[in-house]
Amino acid sequence: MPELPEVETTRRGLLANVQFLKIRAVTCRNRQLRQPISPDFETICQNCKILDIERRSKYLKIILEDKGYILIHLGMSGHLRILPDDTPAAKHDHVDIYLSNKHMIRYTDPRRFGMVNWYDLSEAEHPLLKRLAPEPLSTAFDAHYFHQRCINKTQVIKKIIMNNQVVVGVGNIYAQECLFLSRIHPQRPAGSLTYLECERLVEQIKVVLTKAIQQGGTTLKDFKQVDGKPGYFTQTLFVYGKAGTSCQSCHSELELLKIDNRSTTFCPNCQI
DNA sequence: ATGGTGACCTGACCGC
DNA sequence: TGCGGTCAGGTCACCA
């Protein structure tokens, strides 16, 4: 489900609902996520005030007053909702964070590839955050930087843009969309891209992610915003999940490839 | 250092 | 109806 636009949509929805509220209590029903929830998680969070919610890559940081932050990752299938605090828990509702206003933040994640934990480490100190590349929508991510990172690389370009040590936040859906819109074949060795192609790709990554955020993310299967509304970006997808249909630009048949074991749809005519 | 592979999980869907 | 296979939005530890 969640790529960067979905996570950013979630951040905005949460922030509007929980900023400056106090955490009354926390319930964990299943601690076995991508990494186990630490035994003292509930105790540490109790009575802390939520100051802000930040996003770094696809991680959310719930900033607590004078006391570090809760780090959340949604993995493949996770989502967060704001619900009345007496809402019964279903099978995959692993964590509830009860707030001072009779509501709670509920973390649900069927596949449990996500994580929830508390830290008091700066980004430079945190093992999961310290090696992350620049944000795609920041000025640090530009054509010059990206071209430098591609030079002499034999890896295919799709893998490079999905590598979070090159740029964060580009997952499988948006990688395919960005490559289509930049007219670059997903299997090109990164080192073969010209400066102009790098510039085009960087621009499309920014445009596609910005639009997706504006539309509330992509709705796939069960992605919902924190208020339960769907995202609307599916209406804007050109290639993801459309193998066998015709290219909206040239009407050739879109083809399917496996790259790094992940499905990749592209137009064999437009993308060179 | 860089690159490739398997591992972590559950659920939906398809063909038999 | 049931069973086995395949696939799915992500990331990281481990190996060569």
Side-chain angles (χ1 to χ4, degrees), chain A residues 1-8 55-59 73 132-137 141 158-176 178 204-206 208-210 212-213 218:
Chain A
M1 171 217 328
E3 292 207 27
L4 185 140
E6 288 72 24
V7 178
E8 178 60 21
R55 180 187 59 70
R56 175 70 175 106
S57 183
K58 295 171 187 166
Y59 291 94
H73 196 288
L132 293 175
E135 289 288 325
L137 301 181
F141 181 64
K158 185 184 179 224
K159 284 195 70 169
I160 295 289
I161 61 176
M162 291 180 70
N163 180 342
N164 66 18
Q165 295 185 38
V166 175
V167 59
V168 301
V170 182
N172 198 32
I173 298 177
Y174 297 112
Q176 294 170 59
C178 295
Q204 288 309 320
I205 287 172
K206 290 175 187 283
V208 168
L209 292 178
T210 303
I213 291 169
T218 302

Side-chain angles (χ1 to χ4, degrees), chain A residues 54 142 203 205 213:
Chain A
E54 298 175 358
D142 64 12
E203 174 66 12
I205 287 172
I213 291 169

Side-chain angles (χ1 to χ4, degrees), chain A residues 74-92:
Chain A
L74 301 175
M76 292 272 252
S77 57
H79 61 266
L80 292 166
R81 286 167 297 166
I82 302 287
L83 295 168
D85 63 8
D86 57 357
T87 310
K91 191 169 178 187
H92 301 297

